[in-house]
Amino acid sequence: MITEFAALVRVHVLGNWPVAVTVVPLAIAAATYLITSIAYLRATRSTKHGRAPPTVPYWLPVVGSTLEFVVDIEKFIKRVQTKYGDDKPYTVKLLGRTGNFNLIMKPADYSAILRSTKYTSNKLLMAEVMEKVFGTPQYVMPMYRRDVSGISPTPIPGTDIPEHQRIWHNQHASSARYLVGDSLRSLGARYVSSLSEALAVANPNDPVDSGEWVAMADFYPWWRSRVFTAATTAMFGPHLIRLNPTLEADFWAFIDVIPMLGKSYPRWMVPRAYAARDKMIAAVKKWHAFARAHADYRHCGNDAPDWDEYWGSVWLKVRQRWGQDTGIMDDDGLASEDLGLLMAANANAIPMAFWNLIEVCKDRALLARVLAELRSGIVSPPGQSPMTFDLGPILSSPLLQSIYAEVLRMRISLMVTRIPERGVFRHGPWNFEHGAFIALPSGYVGYHEGAWAEHTAGGQRPVSEFWAERFLVPDEDGTAKTKKHKDVKAATEKEKPKKMRFSTDHVEGIWMPYGGGAVMCPGRHLAKQEMMGGVAVFAAYYELEVAEGWVPKMDPFFYGVGAQQPAEPTPVRIRRKIGGWRKP
């Protein structure tokens, strides 16, 4: 019987090439899916401790799940959750990846993996990002990949990386110095001052500044063009933009192609993406050359000013000096490093401030509460222009902080990754091999109904909807009580409404817009100041109306790579406030 069937196949399939061209690939795909499905079932039924996660079944040999994963990561993750469940991790077969790619689907696993910095890190991923996204030259990349000495001042025992080439420790230490304390406050204040000065100037040729309500077809480009200049000038000084007049447009063109670069599309397939990156690297190199010619980057010690017009923040001098002293980095490598910083300073905070404004302005009642809180940050007398601000009251406001955190939960999507660097990493019954990627998608867990069940006001505030108070918890020390008159026999204590405070402690491992663990994003405090400060300054100079209850859809193209961009225009009505706010 088998022999007869084989003969029929040879005659009617293999002997007929038009049929063979169609049938053979389908047969191979079906056989591949059957085999990988059987392997998946065997893996899920195993009770062996120290087993590898099951591999998601796929149709194409060699290629695996690559096409589905690359085209729409969010859709792929949702399919895995729906079809296979979220109670275990999965291995995803991806073309061209030497180590396994593992997807963590169980929210309860996130915290433990993020805290396992003794056994895992994100450094190999960061090296990959520097190469693919920011264009670090091949001859510089060994310095990134070879450095396994850790981020602590004392290198990990057994490593022999020269101190002047310990790039991960240097980045961690310099960020910890210049993105906290007085340096952070100085950067934040400079950003707010720069933005206030820009918005204080009314353009007589722009209807938006007329003082009358005007319709705007798309608010997002208008918003980001104004904030970009302030944020870039605060960090890098004025000459980066002056030397490159199209920098703002070039920057957003680069941001638009980052998903292509991150997914390893070759240059011949997406030449526009590589051209956008090349143009940004050239812009940074041009600025570096100008700054070196006009100011000594080695003057960056304790006696150096914290900011100058050529280098901007003294941190940029420190970065330049360290890179030069490695003996490996050249102009291209240094430009790639600072392109990464330019992206970090703008690509997340600016879109997040946009989403903050839209979410608040679509709710009239919430807007009234927010404006009352924002007024506390204006310190200039009525009529002064430009207005001056104190971010302290704004950054400490429980309501404003809760809105900030909720916007990040909904609008930041990262593939937070950990990689075992010293042998196999064991988590529960699962083993992850050395060099494997362990991916924790923040966009997935941020919308996971089960993980957030206790933070939905009894189901009245589902995670699919924006809720301004999701991150407010009772402040037990602030709860006040009063007693009725002592002569009343039935006197009882009556609690006043509980005072609320902002907190993310109760959502550790499921709220992770900055990653987690010891390698959490070092720029998160500056990003918070830029986001909340940007909203405060805008609200001081302008009024904004958005259709009640409406927000634009997010562009799925950016899922997994950071701040989500709007997928459609954002029509608004906008009016410049004549005279600005008046303090009561």
Side-chain angles (χ1 to χ4, degrees), residues 250-542:
D250 295 339
F251 175 82
W252 294 112
F254 169 65
I255 295 301
D256 286 345
V257 301
I258 281 180
M260 300 179 194
L261 297 170
K263 293 172 182 176
S264 303
Y265 291 169
R267 185 181 284 266
W268 62 265
M269 185 180 291
V270 287
R272 177 176 65 90
Y274 287 86
R277 184 182 70 190
D278 293 345
K279 192 171 186 180
M280 288 301 301
I281 290 176
V284 177
K285 287 173 65 177
K286 186 177 183 179
W287 166 63
H288 278 172
F290 176 84
R292 285 194 295 263
H294 288 81
D296 182 8
Y297 63 83
R298 293 193 177 277
H299 183 210
C300 57
N302 293 331
D303 61 334
D306 64 357
W307 194 91
D308 70 59
E309 67 166 298
Y310 298 106
W311 287 100
S313 168
V314 69
W315 186 29
L316 273 298
K317 290 184 177 182
V318 172
R319 290 166 57 86
Q320 182 78 194
R321 182 187 65 179
W322 192 90
Q324 296 278 4
D325 289 348
T326 63
I328 295 177
M329 281 196 177
D330 61 1
D331 290 352
D332 290 301
L334 291 166
S336 295
E337 271 285 322
D338 280 352
L339 175 56
L341 181 60
L342 180 64
M343 191 210 74
N346 290 288
N348 290 325
I350 293 176
M352 290 304 101
F354 161 81
W355 289 113
N356 188 312
L357 284 168
I358 298 303
E359 291 287 2
V360 168
C361 291
K362 72 179 177 61
D363 183 333
R364 302 290 185 266
L366 176 61
L367 176 61
R369 296 170 61 196
V370 166
L371 291 177
E373 297 275 340
L374 291 176
R375 289 190 186 99
S376 65
I378 300 176
V379 296
S380 54
Q384 176 180 308
S385 183
M387 286 183 258
T388 54
F389 297 81
D390 175 12
L391 287 182
I394 295 170
L395 295 173
S396 62
S397 163
L399 175 62
L400 299 183
Q401 289 186 91
S402 182
I403 293 171
Y404 150 84
E406 178 74 341
V407 168
L408 293 184
R409 176 189 71 83
M410 299 185 73
R411 310 296 182 182
I412 289 285
S413 174
L414 296 168
M415 296 297 282
V416 180
T417 302
R418 295 294 181 265
I419 303 170
E421 290 189 338
R422 290 175 292 279
V424 173
F425 171 60
R426 295 177 174 83
H427 176 71
W430 310 105
N431 275 8
F432 300 94
E433 65 182 23
H434 172 73
F437 276 48
I438 306 172
L440 303 91
S442 69
Y444 158 76
V445 77
Y447 281 87
H448 194 284
E449 294 181 357
W452 289 86
E454 296 181 3
H455 316 296
T456 60
Q460 298 180 55
R461 301 287 188 172
V463 291
S464 58
E465 298 177 3
F466 176 85
W467 181 28
E469 300 178 9
R470 199 177 304 275
F471 293 84
L472 296 182
V473 297
D475 183 359
E476 301 300 335
D477 294 335
T479 301
K481 297 181 178 181
T482 58
K483 289 187 177 182
K484 293 183 178 180
H485 194 276
K486 62 181 180 180
D487 293 332
V488 179
K489 188 174 183 180
T492 59
E493 290 187 347
K494 180 182 179 182
E495 290 190 1
K496 292 182 179 179
K498 285 186 176 181
K499 180 179 179 182
M500 306 299 282
R501 62 180 177 84
F502 167 74
S503 176
T504 58
D505 294 342
H506 57 300
V507 290
E508 179 188 2
I510 58 174
W511 184 80
M512 41 190 284
Y514 299 114
V519 292
M520 186 181 295
C521 174
R524 61 191 181 277
H525 304 302
L526 179 60
K528 181 178 182 180
Q529 294 201 10
E530 288 183 346
M531 177 178 164
M532 299 179 70
V535 169
V537 176
F538 172 84
Y541 288 99
Y542 293 92

Side-chain angles (χ1 to χ4, degrees), residues 101-116:
F101 184 91
N102 300 281
L103 194 60
I104 307 300
M105 301 294 290
K106 187 176 181 179
D109 290 339
Y110 279 47
S111 290
I113 293 175
L114 290 173
R115 289 196 300 264
S116 63

